[in-house]
Structure formats: C-alpha cells, structure tokens
Amino acid sequence: MHHNFIAGEWLAGADAAANINPSDTRDIVGQYARASQAQARTAVAAAAAAQPRWAALTPMQRSEALDHIGSELLARQGELADLLAREEGKALPDAAGEVLRAAHIFKFFAGEALRVGGELLGSTRANMTVEISREPVGVVTIITPWNFPLAIPAWKIAPALAYGNAVVFKPAELVPGCAWALAEIISRAGLPTGTFNLVMGRGRELGGVLLEDPGVQAITFTGSESTGRKVAQSAVGRPGAMAKFQLEMGGKNPLVVLDDADIEQAVACAINGAFYSTGQRCTASSRLIVTDAIHDRFVAGMVDAMKNLVVGDARAPGTVIGPVVDQSQLEQDLRYIGLGTQEGAKLASGGNAMEQWNGQPGFYLQPALFTETTPAMTINREEIFGPVASVIRVKDADEALKVANDTPFGLSAGVVTQSLKNAARFKRELQAGMVMVNAPTAGVDPHVPFGGRKGSSHGPREQGRYAAEFFTTVKTAYVNP
Ligand code: NAD
C-alpha cells in the first residue's frame, strides 16, 4: 500500500484504489491511498506552518535540496521510466525522456533558487529609494493531469519550492505511482516537515478543500478546460481572499504544411507531433493543414509512415505507440473516430481498437488519420486527446493561416516550410503561445516558457525564469533613510 505524505508522515487514506497497467489490465501496479477531506485540510495546515521555515532557509539550502531531487531522478531514470510506462502506457523511450526532463527541471530551478533578485530605483521624492523584491506566495496547491505523470508535477513543484513556497500536491487519479515515487524522493531531500505534502485521490472530492481552504494562497492547475473553469470559479468565488491561479488546459494544435516544405521533414514532424505518446499530449498536432500542391504527396507519405507505428505494450522493445491510458479515454477516441466518419471525413489509415496485444488485454488503438476533412467538423473543433489526426486541405498560405487560427485554443502551432518569408510570417501571425518552425508542435525545452493563449491557458507562463511571475509576489518598498 502506498500512503499519502502529510505533515511529514506517511498516512493511510479514507480508502484506496488499484493502479492498473493499460498495456495489460491484469497487472496491478500497486494500491494507492485516497486521502479524506480532513487529511487534505491537515496537509494545507502543515504547509502553512512550514512555509515560513522553508522560506527562512538560505537560497543555497533550497538550491541543494532541489539539486538532490534532480540527481536522484537522474540516477533512477531507468527504473522510473519503467514505472511511468507501466502505469500511463507511454512507450519506454518517451517515458525515459520524460524522467530526464523532470530531472533537468529540478536542476534548472536549483539554479534559479540562487537567482531570486530585485530592483533598486530612485524615487520621485528626494533621499527616498524604492526597492522592488520578490517574496514567496505562500501555500501552493498543485493539481496535475495524467498524461505527463512526472514532468508536469516537476515543472510545478520545482519552482514552487525554489521560490520558498510550501506545496500540497494532488496528482491525477490514474497515475499515483510516479507521483508517489517523486514524493518519496522529495521526502528525503531535507525540507522542513510539512513543506511538501502529497494528497492522492479524486479531484472532485478533494477540490473543495484544496481550492477553497483559506490557507491556500495560489493554485496551479493543468488539465481539461472544464475542470480549469471550476478551479477558476473556486479561486475567485471562495470566501475571504481570492487565490492566485494559473491554468494550462487543452489544445487543438495546427501543423501547417506549405507547398515549399521538405516533404520528408513534414511527414516526420506530423507523425511525431500527432501520434507519439499515443497522441495524449496537450501540444499534439491534431490538425494537419496542408496546401493543395503538396497535399496528395503528404497524405501518401503519412499513410506510408504510419505502417511503422508499431502499437504494443509500452515496455516491449520495438513499441512506438503504447496503449491509450484507460477505458474511458479509449471510448472517447473511438466516439470521435465514429463522428469523423459520420460527418463525411475519410479514414485514410488506422482507427481500429485492438482488445489484445500478444495475449495481453489492454487499451490498444491503431493511430488514425482522417483526410477530406473540413474545419467545421467536430473532429477539427474539439480536443480528442488520442492518436487521431485530421488533414485539412487548403488553397494557399493565406487560407492555411486563417484555418490554423480558427480555433478556441492557442497552445502550440507549427509550420513546415523552406521559405524564410513564410516562416517569419507564420511565426508572427499564428495565435499560439508556442510556435514551431520545421519541428513537431509537441516536444519542448525545460528552461524556457511554456504555455498558451486563448482557451488553452490563463495566467502567467510556466517554466524557465518566467515561472517566477506565478510563484512569487512582488513587494515595492519605499525607504527614507
Ligand atoms: P482533468 O481535468 O480531468 O483532471 C486534471 C486534474 O484535475 C486531476 O488531478 C483531477 O483529479 C483534478 N480534478 C478534477 N476535478 C476537480 C475538481 N472539481 N477540483 C479540483 N481538481 C479536480 O484532466 P485530465 O484528463 O487528467 O488531463 C487531460 C487534459 O489535460 C487535456 O485536456 C489536456 O489537454 C490537458 N493538458 C494540458 C496541458 C497544458 O500544459 N496545457 C498539459 C497536459 C495536459
């Protein structure tokens, strides 16, 4: 049994849930405790009590703790990648990449902990000086989704701690294994008791406490748009002071392929962006917007390349695409595949669920490519969050840009072109937080800002030094010596 970590102790919960391997549903990864609301309240109180002690340590002490966590993640990369692949279904090479990324994030913020600075300005008043400094926000609730079970917790926990905040972390129900392993590492990093708390369980049960307890000053959330709206409503509507909040939500990311694209590069970007990690990435390229003159060659290249997308057990050698995360996500993917066909799109490749792989029962789905789609179709409007992509044929670059931006989302967007002029134009005019030129829409660096605009995000950026905007609060002091 894996327990919650609250106020420095490992505690059994109100009940527990089995963590099931999506590559083989007979395989139980482990039993994980689900916290009660009273335990969530205890975690917030412990964090509030610990935060001033953590903030009072030297920046070097905070830096060393974060560096220690990063080093242990690096040292245990293989073992943690195996756990990640087993509980989430991400193919092992991608899972190993995610562990590395989580380690790099802790290392990066170990450095940032030493670089918290301010500004010293003159005043309009004689003899007065003005000091601008950054202080911790206080207690931060961290709520994460299942699709990056280590990287997303890392990119929220590391900056929260680096800037002197205390943390209550609630991971997604489907992936408590990686969250627990990370918490166990953090529990040995020398933080004052109560600085970091792990509260596992259902969001809708624990949300009331984690979002509305007056001891919580800030909420950082990544997940679906509908849950994001609830988080925002709680943060603003709760009694007393509102909580600061940051939301990273869905995407419907376009990859534009122009006439002058290198066809092999275009296909490689689209295959990676649309289907790797089983398409379960908020930055996945789900709309492939292709100009007329290159369209047929691109589709032929895609159909050909998709033959190499070996679907299988996430941990089996040779697997490129692991299973979908669970039964309900698989049903959602299949519902959208059905809708695509009903609305007149042509299924050019894949789209079949396989109940078994090598005799193992799991949630296997052959990546699906739709062609002859229109921007108005449901499959081009709503986030599917699976290995399903659509090709939209357009006349020229002008129409491509219009279609790319015709979405409520704005997380990531890409263009494949060999023209500097086209690259510059799309970089400027794509309405997204992140723009990729001749690169997949998914796959980002750990040391630079991450986030979107429009319906994809709300609040300051995550990662890189821009993370300070959310995890600190600014104080302006006027000093008359
Ligand atoms: P989800 O919204 O169902 O759950 C996310 C988290 O919110 C989970 O921990 C869940 O327990 C919690 N939660 C649910 N109801 C809650 C409530 N009422 N109060 C408080 N917490 C609650 O999302 P998911 O299915 O885990 O993840 C998939 C979604 O995440 C997709 O929409 C995807 O695009 C998005 N995502 C976005 C990014 C990004 O950075 N923009 C990154 C990864 C995933």
Side-chain angles (χ1 to χ4, degrees):
M1 173 65 69
H2 298 80
H3 289 161
N4 295 296
F5 187 61
I6 297 171
E9 289 183 63
W10 293 100
L11 300 176
D15 58 6
N19 184 359
I20 293 164
N21 176 354
S23 299
D24 184 347
T25 53
R26 300 163 305 183
D27 175 32
I28 307 292
V29 180
Q31 297 288 336
Y32 290 81
R34 288 198 287 222
S36 66
Q37 291 182 357
Q39 285 177 318
R41 234 172 252 117
T42 306
V44 173
Q51 190 271 327
R53 294 204 299 280
W54 173 238
L57 295 186
T58 65
M60 188 55 86
Q61 285 170 310
R62 278 193 292 282
S63 174
E64 280 168 354
L66 292 171
D67 190 61
H68 172 90
I69 297 164
S71 296
E72 185 161 341
L73 287 169
L74 276 182
R76 293 171 54 190
Q77 186 188 7
E79 169 210 338
L80 292 169
D82 187 75
L83 172 65
L84 200 164
R86 187 173 167 208
E87 79 168 347
E88 198 266 355
K90 195 168 285 185
L92 202 51
D94 295 340
E98 183 173 341
V99 180
L100 189 65
R101 181 164 162 201
H104 285 158
I105 289 167
F106 274 96
K107 294 273 179 186
F108 175 84
F109 282 105
E112 285 303 281
L114 300 172
R115 283 190 281 268
V116 185
E119 286 183 77
L120 186 62
L121 275 73
S123 166
T124 54
R125 284 166 276 176
N127 299 324
M128 187 87 87
T129 53
V130 185
E131 296 169 11
I132 303 166
S133 57
R134 289 191 178 273
E135 296 182 353
V137 185
V139 173
V140 182
T141 284
I142 294 178
I143 299 180
T144 54
W146 50 262
N147 65 328
F148 283 94
L150 267 182
I152 294 180
W155 82 51
K156 294 179 187 294
I157 295 168
L161 294 176
Y163 297 114
N165 303 287
V167 166
V168 180
F169 166 40
K170 197 213 79 66
E173 294 91 315
L174 287 174
V175 291
C178 286
W180 189 90
L182 180 59
E184 198 279 325
I185 294 172
I186 297 173
S187 76
R188 289 183 283 100
L191 277 49
T193 302
T195 303
F196 172 84
N197 302 271
L198 170 73
V199 174
M200 297 179 285
R202 291 198 188 95
R204 61 173 186 275
E205 274 169 30
L206 299 172
V209 175
L210 298 179
L211 305 175
E212 293 180 15
D213 189 301
V216 172
Q217 279 80 41
I219 303 156
T220 173
F221 167 85
T222 300
S224 61
E225 196 197 348
S226 59
T227 314
R229 280 185 193 277
K230 286 185 202 147
V231 170
Q233 276 157 5
S234 294
V236 173
R238 66 189 209 164
M242 296 179 202
K244 190 174 183 179
F245 64 96
Q246 168 185 62
L247 313 172
E248 285 297 340
M249 300 168 287
K252 195 71 199 168
N253 310 290
L255 177 73
V256 172
V257 178
L258 296 178
D259 287 353
D260 59 28
D262 172 327
I263 188 79
E264 275 177 32
Q265 187 173 50
V267 169
C269 288
I271 290 281
N272 177 311
F275 302 126
Y276 276 44
S277 297
T278 321
Q280 299 176 145
R281 294 188 285 189
C282 49
T283 47
S285 321
S286 52
R287 294 182 299 141
L288 308 171
I289 301 166
V290 186
T291 48
D292 205 29
I294 200 172
H295 175 277
D296 293 355
R297 275 188 298 142
F298 175 78
V299 169
M302 286 295 288
V303 171
D304 203 36
M306 286 175 75
K307 293 181 188 137
N308 299 325
L309 294 178
V310 178
V311 177
D313 184 319
R315 296 186 295 163
T319 291
V320 182
I321 308 294
V324 171
V325 74
D326 73 350
Q327 181 70 36
S328 78
Q329 184 64 49
L330 179 63
E331 283 165 10
Q332 175 169 314
D333 296 348
L334 291 171
R335 187 170 60 78
Y336 277 111
I337 291 171
L339 259 177
T341 314
Q342 268 172 37
E343 292 185 1
K346 181 179 158 215
L347 194 53
S349 180
N352 301 314
M354 303 145 48
E355 280 174 12
Q356 293 199 342
W357 174 86
N358 234 4
Q360 293 175 205
F363 308 117
Y364 297 101
L365 176 61
Q366 208 73 47
L369 183 72
F370 278 113
T371 56
E372 315 302 327
T373 78
T374 65
M377 287 178 179
T378 313
I379 50 169
N380 285 327
R381 309 291 324 162
E382 297 177 10
E383 183 182 51
I384 301 174
F385 218 56
V388 184
S390 319
V391 178
I392 306 174
R393 187 199 290 258
V394 290
K395 194 164 71 256
D396 54 18
D398 289 341
E399 192 186 351
L401 195 54
K402 204 163 132 255
V403 170
N405 287 336
D406 176 20
T407 169
F409 296 106
L411 187 56
S412 181
V415 61
V416 189
T417 176
Q418 294 192 82
S419 144
L420 191 56
K421 196 169 157 203
N422 282 333
R425 179 182 178 203
F426 276 76
K427 188 155 57 82
R428 194 173 57 240
E429 295 188 28
L430 282 168
Q431 294 165 0
M434 296 172 291
V435 173
M436 315 294 186
V437 178
N438 296 328
T441 57
V444 296
D445 285 3
H447 65 300
V448 290
F450 175 96
R453 50 176 82 166
K454 293 161 76 177
S456 289
S457 302
H458 182 93
R461 286 285 182 269
E462 303 200 74
Q463 299 191 66
R465 61 188 170 82
Y466 287 72
E469 293 305 321
F470 182 74
F471 291 101
T472 64
T473 180
V474 168
K475 182 175 277 172
T476 311
Y478 293 83
V479 182
N480 185 2

